[in-house]
Amino acid sequence: MDFGVVLQTDPPAREVVRLMKAAEDCGFGYGWTFDSVVLWQEPFVIYSQILAATSAMTVGPMVTSPATRDWSVTASLFATLNDMFGNRTVCGIGRGDSAHRVVGRRPSTLATLRDAMHTIKELAEGREVVLGDTPVQIPWVRGGRLEMWMAGYGPKALRLAGEQADGFILQCADPAIASWTIGSVREAARAAGRDPAGITICVAAPAYVGDDLPHQRDQLRWFGGMVGNHVADLVARYGESGPVPRALTDYIRERQGYDYSHHGRADNPSADFVPDEIVDRFCLTGPAAAHVGRLQELAALGVDQFAVYLMHDQREQTLAAYGREIVGKLG
C-alpha cells in the first residue's frame, strides 16, 4: 500500500512545503492538497516548491474541478510541472464542492466532468483535442504523463470512474462503504471493457494516532461534515431509499446546513450533527495498532493508497507515528 498526505494550502506556503518534505522522509509517496483558491492559496504555485524540496514525491489536488480553471490552463500547469520535475503529478478531480460553492456555483455535471477529464489528460500528455470548434495541442509536451483520479460517491459517479478514470478516490475509510464503491467502480470498468485491476484505488480520510479517543473524535468530526455535503446531494437526487447504502446516508438527518468558512477545520461548528460512531467509521483513530488493523482491512478490499488528511492538533506526531509504526508494515 502506498501512502499519501493531504494538506490545506494555508499560508505560509513554506510550512506546507516543510510538512510535505517531512512526510516524504516518513515514507509517504504522495503529497495532496485541497484546491479551493478562495479559501486557501493557489496550490500549483506551491506544488513547484514541494517538487523541488522532495526527491520522488508525486503531487496533485484532492481534488480539483472542471470549473476552477480553464481546462487548457489546468493541463498546461500539470504539463509544466511534469516537464520540470519528471512526471511527478497526478490529477485528482471531482464535480466541485467548496471551490464552486464559495463563489456561487453549483457542482459540475458528470457530463462536464467526463469531458474535462478527457481534455485535460489528452492535452497534458501532448495529444490534440477539440475545444469548442478549435483543434488544440500543447506543442512543447514531450513524453508527458498525467493520471486522472476521480472522486465520487454516487452510482453514476462510480460508473464514470470505472469507465474512464485512471484512479478512484474515496474520501471515507469505512470498509463497508469502500467495499460497495470499489465494487461499483470495478463492475463499471468490466462493463466498459477495461481491466478493473488497472484502476488505482485511493482511500482518503483523517488519521490521528494516540490514546485519547474522545479528543481525537472532536478533532476529526469536521470530516463527517465535509462528507455530509456530498451525501446531502446524493439524498436529494436519489432519496433516502435509493441505491446509496444507508451506511453512508443515515447520519445526515440532523444536518442543518454548512458554513464553508470553517471547511475542513477541526473547529468546524457545522459538524456538530456528526455522531461519534461516524467519526470512528469514517476516520482512523486510536493507537498505531488500530490504524494498522483498519488499513489491512482496506488493503484486502483492493485499496492501493491511503491518503491521510492532517487537519488536527497533532499533525507532526501522527506523521512520525505513521513513519515509525505503520508505513513499513503495509508499504
Side-chain angles (χ1 to χ4, degrees), residues 115-195:
D115 292 344
M117 286 198 294
H118 170 76
T119 299
I120 293 167
K121 182 179 180 69
E122 294 298 291
L123 286 173
E125 294 186 346
R127 293 181 291 274
E128 181 181 286
V129 296
V130 177
L131 286 174
D133 297 323
T134 304
V136 177
Q137 184 174 16
I138 300 178
W140 45 263
V141 173
R142 297 289 183 272
R145 185 181 72 251
L146 180 65
E147 291 194 353
M148 307 296 295
W149 292 16
M150 181 185 153
Y153 298 95
K156 293 180 180 178
L158 299 174
R159 183 164 62 246
L160 175 56
E163 291 171 347
Q164 183 174 333
D166 299 303
F168 167 59
I169 297 171
L170 172 63
Q171 292 161 309
C172 176
D174 183 337
I177 295 170
S179 179
W180 174 70
T181 55
I182 294 168
S184 298
V185 169
R186 288 175 169 168
E187 181 181 350
R190 281 190 290 268
R194 304 179 71 200
D195 178 8

Side-chain angles (χ1 to χ4, degrees), residues 74 99 120 183 201 243 249 293:
T74 302
I120 293 167
I201 305 296
T249 62

Side-chain angles (χ1 to χ4, degrees), residues 1-5 27-30 295 305-306 308 322 326-327 330-331:
M1 179 181 281
D2 291 329
F3 286 85
V5 61
F28 287 72
Y30 283 75
L295 291 170
Q305 180 184 149
F306 179 60
V308 178
Y322 261 72
I326 298 171
V327 172
L330 292 127

